[in-house]
Amino acid sequence: MHTEALAAFRDNYIWLIRPEADDPRTLVVDPGDAAPVIDALEREGRELRGILVTHHHSDHVGGIAELLRWQAGRQPGTQVPVWGPAAEHIPGRTHALQHGDVFSPQGWTQRFAVIAVPGHTLGHIAYFVTSPEPDTPPALFCGDTLFSAGCGRLFEGSPAQMLDSLNKLSQLPENTTVNCAHEYTLSNLQFARAADPSNTWVVAHQARCLALRAQGLPTLPSSIGLEKSINPFLRTAQPGVVQALERHRGHKPEDAVQALAWLREWKNNFKG
Ligand code: ZN
Ligand code: FE
């Protein structure tokens, strides 16, 4: 499987997925804007074969209608599938997905498994994609739930829901690629320096990501293994994170849920 990040808006990534690098059949994840997707498809002579959506926010669904119109103009009478969470309003959705659903787009050998990850929004889902070829790592498309070194804001869900969602994702194989919907890594790493100050992986990864961004390159995909070593939101049980929270709040968090809630609040107000 071949994945590619298209930059959109200020800091969004729209992921394009193809079965192989030389295959024109393309799936698009969270097309908040149609223009960069249409540009890429036309420039490379690709075919739109489906749209995958993680949650209802406009920077993830705003381009769906225009993409479908463009597709209908190219191949009249065809309708590409639009997969999205059953619990949210997704424009043009043809396949309403729930936790545990598994599907393969027509003609694809890859298997797409749906994981419910409420927190950022209540119906938010992630796609965990596995290939039959033994050497291909699995790929996770997690929208605004897990970011590199961070997590999404809690607009609709509770800290307990987000903790549970992040726990599910951290149990995926360590070589799973993490394809997030925003380039927030540098500001997240700055926060991770404060929230997990003794973590030398954070320092090393910050240097790598600064070099990537200086060249205009994405810091993504990350991997589950890397996130487990650098992401404070996956490390709420680590002594270094607990101690930093204790210094920040004046006493220890009662449990992992409170630790996550405090981390999220601290990050919301963090100025770097
Ligand atoms: Zn969002
Ligand atoms: Fe977003």
Side-chain angles (χ1 to χ4, degrees):
M1 199 170 76
H2 187 272
T3 63
E4 177 187 349
L6 284 185
F9 306 120
R10 235 171 73 87
D11 50 33
N12 280 72
Y13 288 128
I14 299 170
W15 291 91
L16 302 184
I17 316 177
R18 284 170 291 143
E20 313 274 349
D22 57 0
D23 195 313
R25 295 174 298 166
T26 306
L27 302 176
V28 53
V29 185
D30 284 350
D33 190 3
V37 179
I38 291 171
D39 274 0
L41 294 172
E42 286 185 340
R43 192 177 54 236
E44 313 277 348
R46 308 245 190 94
E47 297 163 20
L48 180 66
R49 290 301 178 93
I51 298 172
L52 299 158
V53 177
T54 62
H55 68 292
H56 67 86
H57 286 160
S58 63
D59 62 315
H60 300 252
V61 303
I64 295 174
E66 192 182 334
L67 269 179
L68 293 176
R69 272 197 302 277
W70 172 82
Q71 170 66 20
R74 273 201 141 191
Q75 290 181 287
T78 62
Q79 156 80 65
V80 299
V82 179
W83 291 276
E88 297 191 350
H89 172 72
I90 306 298
R93 186 186 58 207
T94 58
H95 294 65
L97 301 173
Q98 307 205 34
H99 182 74
D101 284 347
V102 175
F103 63 95
S104 286
Q106 205 191 348
W108 288 55
T109 56
Q110 284 79 5
R111 178 178 179 276
F112 289 62
V114 176
I115 306 173
V117 286
H120 178 70
T121 65
L122 282 175
H124 202 305
I125 58 173
Y127 298 89
F128 177 66
V129 188
T130 48
S131 296
E133 306 98 72
D135 294 333
T136 308
L140 176 71
F141 297 89
C142 47
D144 289 356
T145 298
L146 176 64
F147 294 124
S148 186
C151 76
R153 284 177 186 260
L154 297 174
F155 286 125
E156 298 176 13
S158 66
Q161 283 175 316
M162 181 58 102
L163 179 70
D164 188 52
S165 297
L166 294 175
N167 280 341
K168 282 188 220 167
L169 299 183
S170 70
Q171 281 157 28
L172 296 174
E174 299 219 331
N175 67 344
T176 303
T177 63
V178 175
N179 303 270
C180 329
H182 290 272
E183 178 62 68
Y184 289 158
T185 313
L186 285 180
S187 71
N188 287 341
L189 284 166
Q190 252 191 311
F191 175 69
R193 295 283 301 257
D196 195 0
S198 55
N199 187 337
T200 55
W201 296 103
V202 169
V203 182
H205 194 57
Q206 189 180 35
R208 244 186 330 265
C209 291
L210 280 167
L212 286 168
R213 296 307 292 150
Q215 297 172 72
L217 295 171
T219 62
L220 303 174
S222 179
S223 71
I224 292 294
L226 175 63
E227 290 310 312
K228 280 158 82 172
S229 59
I230 62 162
N231 192 323
F233 293 89
L234 299 184
R235 296 169 60 81
T236 46
Q238 295 294 317
V241 175
V242 173
Q243 281 158 21
L245 284 169
E246 187 180 2
R247 278 193 301 276
H248 184 65
R249 302 286 287 228
H251 59 106
K252 268 194 167 54
E254 261 165 38
D255 54 21
V257 173
Q258 188 165 58
L260 185 102
W262 285 3
L263 269 181
R264 192 56 264 181
E265 280 174 38
W266 186 3
K267 172 71 171 71
N268 291 348
N269 301 308
F270 188 72
K271 298 285 182 280

